[in-house]
Amino acid sequence: MTRNSRRVATKLRPPRLARALLVWSWPPNRRDEIVRDLDEEFQAYVSQERSRFGSRKWYWSQVCRSIPAALGARQRYRIRRQHMESSMAQQPILEELRQDISWAIRSFRRAPGLTVAAAATLALGIGANTAVFSVVQAVMLRSLPYPDADRLVRIWSANPRGIPQNSMSPADFHDLAEQTGTVFTAIGGYVSGDSFGMSFGTAGDGAPRRVLGATVTPSLFDVFGVPPAAGRTLIASDATGDGASVMLLSDGFWRRHFGANPAVVGQTLNVNGTAFTIVGVMPPGFSFPDPETEIWVPLGESWRTVSRSAHFLDVVARLAPGASLAEASARLDAAAAGLAALYPETNTGWGTTVMPYYDSLVGDARGPLLILLAAVSCVLLIACANVANLLLSHGVGRSREFAVRLAIGAGRGRLLRQVLTEGVLLGLAGGAAGLALGWLALGGLLSAITTDMPRLGEVSLDGRVLAVTTAVSIGVGLLSSLGPAFRAAATPPQVTLQVAAPAGSKRTRRLRETLLVAETALMVALLVAAGLLIRTLGTVNRIPPGFRADNVLLGNVSLPGARYDQAGRAAFFERALGSLARLPGVTTAAAGGPLPLSGSEGLARFGLLVESRTPDTDRNRAYLRRATPGYFEAMGIPLRLGRPFGPSDRPESVPVAIVDEELVRRQFPNENPLGKRVRPSNSRTWREIVGVVGAVRQTSLLRPADPHLYLPQSQMPTSTLTFVLRVDGDPDALRRPLEAAIGNLDPELPVYDVRTLKDLHHGATAAERTNALLLGVFAGLAGLLTLIGIHSVVRYFVSESMRELGVRLALGARPGQVLAFVVRRNLRLQLVGLAAGICLAWVGARWISGALYGVTPVDPATYLATSALVLAAGTAAAWLPARRALRIDPIESLR
């Protein structure tokens, strides 16, 4: 091989140092052209005709000769640049901003389709975030409407059986209040109408109404520090004796029933057969302990003599100035220990639990709300990625525009600011539309939240929500335009102006693909979380509650103690059931309560003693329930052994009881319970077991069945029971006949909470249904946005790759092969996003593990189903734009 041939084969390169000197000396506007021309001449001619040393000497010679001209050009460039920058700096900032906004609006007008698509995409993400943040703000972030609300605390009795938040007995409450006065400025107790089973039925002005109220200690209003709007609050003298002689009205009740008459103070109101004197009206917004509370009556001091084992009082307090939560907790524990020493039979092992009142109010709502907020944040990020992809694709088409602006002297900073301004305006447009969507979606979101979440009545689009929505709109606009902005400012104008149709660089393509992978990963994580919650809902729905919920109507009645003694209660329910049994369509009429799935832990739960056995009431506990003849048949609770209650079970007959399978399993595992005698710890009467029924779930479907002891209403009458009517047909048709039948017996007695047993059963899955529904909706929205992103990215890839695809077709590739090439490329991105999404879901699923039941956070079926769904949907989204490649004319594309 000759020397020249070896030199050609090695393709001699210019000397690096000389080339670097050339690049440094020439200004940016001439540099690329000079260097390129010199390199081309060196490789095409000089290196072919001269030796290696001669070629390098020639290149050094050319560089050295050009340095004076280069330095002069560099100086002129610097002067011109300084002049332009100084003239631009003299323009007012507001004028520059006006120009940027005007240019952005003209840019939007030139591309209306892209503008509408980007704004609509952002509107979906911002609207979802606005709706959810409105709820989060009202429930978790808005301060409580009380003076110095951070000083309020909630106090519970700590049960020795491991229940840290138990109600307190009135006797313990008064003793603790007296012994801890230095750490609290006020301490108050209350019993809400729902938890205590108290209802107020007003009469004398038409049909009876049920009014929810609360029985409170007068000191409760000192705790909250809210003065009345009219009259006064309760005072200590109101609680002497049995109390309940005066009442306080809520603002809503005062306006609805008294027309906001200020002269209402001093009037009397007949409630439950007792005349109450109205002493005051509370201001709007005060609705403690829940929004439905409309009346407050004093808790009489006579309750202080009730047994210390009767825990039914909830307690709140206000910390004294300078007192800390830890100090209050220590003082309460010391006082509880003193009570345990004084009253060992009832107080041994009992302690106290104290926490900020705000934390106790928010409670379990914090977890689900944070999950929803994280879900809609993912939706917003997906929307940002979609818009960024759109702007990147649009930015390639505007490359020549940006290059011209740079070539005529516009600074890269000004160009960067221009693109960011367009992004901010786009974000604000999406935010305005998103705010409207959020307002429309808020009602649906609140109706979908079927759980007892606090402060939902305070949800609104207030000033804080508007401010956050505006900030989010600006933020997502900037985030979506960052990639296009830096690409526009970084592209050399010389390269762009020399090609007829600028195409996206490899860096731009990689950025679009990265955004698509991120979208897919977030979508997969949301779909997996939604799938786990949906599977949880399905598992919970399949749990047998222990009764048949179809074709059963329920209605509650609470008999006033002033008009019904024990004998009167039994007689009333006997007459009422006789009337209800004659209603058309009723197959079985009975009463009982509290019903399954309607009570919280500890509601009417007592120790159980078995005759001739060592008492262990702490371990042997059972729910105490009342029932009339026909109750088990009406509820659909199966009878396993013995007999149900019947007409022969009278007050004068042998005391009897019916137990369930769970109690038999625990107390009589290997023997027949029929004929055994038991009694609850709150009674001294031994009762013979005459029947065994199926177990029911009392507090929740997620908890195992608890032992139940049923007593006949006729032998141990209670004032509050639920009518249970099993009907042949639609139970809703008997709502009015049920109320009319009770009204004929007692015109002043309201029937409340009229609903079907299926509604009661349905409410037991409210939390699981809310979680699955809301997260499923947001996951579906994320999936829709991601599929739109896949469609747009593949469509742009086909448009950008027309020449390449035309060459493939011209070289003999079949249309199916070209189609497979496009789809396969998208599938690779989908697989990467799917893998990242599964990893993200595997980490995030542990955050929602507390909301799962019967399914693990790494459930294989959910992950496999989600993967198959994502791949199928992603392939379908890519298929339609990929088919465009089949219509490519090779000749036209090569031109």
Side-chain angles (χ1 to χ4, degrees), residues 31-302:
R31 178 186 302 152
D32 293 340
E33 180 184 359
I34 298 296
V35 172
R36 183 176 61 252
D37 290 345
L38 188 60
D39 287 351
E40 288 178 355
E41 185 176 357
F42 175 80
Q43 292 181 350
Y45 302 106
V46 178
S47 62
Q48 304 297 325
E49 299 173 355
R50 304 190 183 192
S51 65
R52 182 184 185 89
F53 177 78
S55 300
R56 296 172 65 86
K57 180 181 177 182
W58 177 87
Y59 196 95
W60 270 104
S61 174
Q62 297 299 318
V63 170
C64 292
R65 291 180 187 177
S66 70
I67 286 179
L71 294 178
R74 190 180 185 90
Q75 180 66 18
R76 289 191 298 273
Y77 175 80
R78 184 183 297 112
I79 293 174
R80 184 167 63 252
R81 186 65 178 264
Q82 290 176 354
H83 176 72
M84 293 179 59
E85 289 180 354
S86 62
S87 62
M88 292 176 63
Q90 293 173 2
Q91 296 181 9
I93 296 178
L94 293 179
E95 176 63 21
E96 291 185 0
L97 181 60
R98 186 196 65 80
Q99 293 176 2
D100 290 341
I101 294 175
S102 177
W103 187 275
I105 293 174
R106 291 199 299 271
S107 175
F108 293 154
R109 288 176 178 173
R110 289 195 297 267
L114 178 134
T115 303
V116 172
T121 301
L122 291 179
L124 289 175
I126 295 174
N129 275 266
T130 298
V132 172
F133 180 77
S134 299
V135 178
V136 172
Q137 196 269 143
V139 176
M140 295 176 53
L141 303 180
R142 183 178 295 167
S143 60
L144 297 175
Y146 311 117
D148 298 325
D150 59 322
R151 308 295 297 171
L152 299 177
V153 297
R154 179 78 185 272
I155 304 172
W156 289 275
S157 288
N159 193 304
R161 294 183 301 278
I163 304 175
Q165 298 179 359
N166 216 332
S167 297
M168 193 176 294
S169 69
D172 288 345
F173 163 77
H174 285 288
D175 288 340
L176 291 177
E178 293 170 357
Q179 297 179 36
T180 58
T182 57
V183 293
F184 300 117
T185 57
I187 179 170
Y190 65 94
V191 182
S192 66
D194 287 335
S195 62
F196 193 49
M198 179 178 293
S199 63
F200 302 87
T202 62
D205 54 352
R209 292 181 298 271
R210 184 185 185 234
V211 180
L212 287 178
T215 303
V216 303
T217 63
S219 57
L220 179 78
F221 300 96
D222 297 329
V223 172
F224 291 101
V226 178
R232 63 171 176 84
T233 59
L234 302 180
I235 57 178
S237 60
D238 295 330
T240 57
D242 292 335
S245 59
V246 298
M247 68 166 51
L248 201 60
L249 305 182
S250 70
D251 178 79
F253 185 83
W254 173 55
R255 294 181 183 278
R256 283 192 302 272
H257 300 289
F258 293 95
N261 182 7
V264 70
V265 177
Q267 295 184 18
T268 59
L269 186 64
N270 185 29
V271 177
N272 282 351
T274 302
F276 287 80
T277 301
I278 300 172
V279 296
V281 178
M282 294 303 293
F286 186 86
S287 55
F288 183 86
D290 49 64
E292 290 76 24
T293 302
E294 297 186 303
I295 291 176
W296 295 269
V297 298
L299 179 72
E301 289 188 350
S302 61

Side-chain angles (χ1 to χ4, degrees), residues 352-434:
T352 58
T353 301
V354 58
M355 70 168 56
Y357 177 69
Y358 174 82
D359 292 344
S360 71
L361 184 65
V362 174
D364 297 334
R366 180 180 285 106
L369 284 180
L370 291 179
I371 291 174
L372 286 182
L373 193 59
V376 295
S377 298
C378 289
V379 172
L380 186 59
L381 289 175
I382 293 174
C384 288
N386 257 1
V387 173
N389 259 324
L390 288 174
L391 295 180
L392 279 171
S393 302
H394 184 58
V396 172
R398 299 177 65 189
S399 297
R400 187 174 298 279
E401 171 196 336
F402 296 147
V404 170
R405 296 186 66 184
L406 285 172
I408 62 176
R412 296 184 185 274
R414 179 65 187 273
L415 192 62
L416 182 68
R417 189 177 63 192
Q418 172 64 56
V419 179
L420 292 179
T421 300
E422 294 177 7
V424 171
L425 290 180
L426 202 58
L428 290 174

Side-chain angles (χ1 to χ4, degrees), residues 791-806:
H791 182 278
S792 62
V793 168
V794 174
R795 181 178 180 182
Y796 185 78
F797 170 75
V798 172
S799 300
E800 190 181 46
S801 306
M802 282 290 192
R803 185 182 299 270
E804 176 187 353
L805 298 178

Side-chain angles (χ1 to χ4, degrees), residues 257-593:
H257 300 289
F258 293 95
N261 182 7
V264 70
V265 177
Q267 295 184 18
T268 59
L269 186 64
N270 185 29
V271 177
N272 282 351
T274 302
F276 287 80
T277 301
I278 300 172
V279 296
V281 178
M282 294 303 293
F286 186 86
S287 55
F288 183 86
D290 49 64
E292 290 76 24
T293 302
E294 297 186 303
I295 291 176
W296 295 269
V297 298
L299 179 72
E301 289 188 350
S302 61
W303 283 97
R304 189 170 183 173
T305 62
V306 175
S307 171
R308 292 180 183 268
S309 62
H311 292 257
F312 59 84
L313 200 62
D314 294 318
V315 180
V316 291
R318 177 177 289 274
L319 288 172
S324 65
L325 191 67
E327 181 183 355
S329 179
R331 187 69 63 85
L332 286 168
D333 286 340
L339 293 179
L342 290 174
Y343 310 101
E345 292 185 359
T346 56
N347 288 61
T348 298
W350 285 81
T352 58
T353 301
V354 58
M355 70 168 56
Y357 177 69
Y358 174 82
D359 292 344
S360 71
L361 184 65
V362 174
D364 297 334
R366 180 180 285 106
L369 284 180
L370 291 179
I371 291 174
L372 286 182
L373 193 59
V376 295
S377 298
C378 289
V379 172
L380 186 59
L381 289 175
I382 293 174
C384 288
N386 257 1
V387 173
N389 259 324
L390 288 174
L391 295 180
L392 279 171
S393 302
H394 184 58
V396 172
R398 299 177 65 189
S399 297
R400 187 174 298 279
E401 171 196 336
F402 296 147
V404 170
R405 296 186 66 184
L406 285 172
I408 62 176
R412 296 184 185 274
R414 179 65 187 273
L415 192 62
L416 182 68
R417 189 177 63 192
Q418 172 64 56
V419 179
L420 292 179
T421 300
E422 294 177 7
V424 171
L425 290 180
L426 202 58
L428 290 174
L435 191 63
L437 286 178
W439 180 75
L440 294 174
L442 189 57
L445 178 62
L446 293 177
S447 62
I449 300 176
T450 55
T451 54
D452 293 330
M453 191 170 289
R455 310 183 72 184
L456 283 184
E458 303 176 24
V459 175
S460 63
L461 296 181
D462 57 10
R464 179 181 291 183
V465 175
L466 294 177
V468 170
T469 300
T470 303
V472 168
S473 302
I474 296 174
V476 298
L478 288 173
L479 185 62
S480 301
S481 58
L482 277 178
F486 282 110
R487 181 197 178 279
T491 304
Q494 297 85 353
V495 176
T496 303
L497 293 174
Q498 287 172 1
V499 295
S505 64
K506 290 184 178 179
R507 183 179 300 176
T508 304
R509 181 180 297 179
R510 290 195 195 100
L511 180 56
R512 287 202 302 268
E513 292 175 350
T514 301
L515 291 172
L516 184 59
V517 168
E519 287 185 57
T520 305
L522 291 173
M523 175 188 68
V524 169
L526 285 180
L527 287 175
V528 168
L532 292 174
L533 293 177
I534 290 172
R535 289 207 64 192
T536 294
L537 178 61
T539 301
V540 173
N541 282 332
R542 290 192 295 270
I543 297 175
F547 54 84
R548 290 188 294 110
D550 56 308
N551 298 333
V552 176
L553 183 67
L554 308 175
N556 290 6
V557 167
S558 184
L559 303 178
R563 294 191 288 116
Y564 290 92
D565 56 13
Q566 284 204 349
R569 297 171 190 170
F572 171 83
F573 281 110
E574 188 173 350
R575 293 196 311 271
L577 292 177
S579 298
L580 296 175
R582 293 190 292 270
L583 293 178
V586 174
T587 59
T588 306

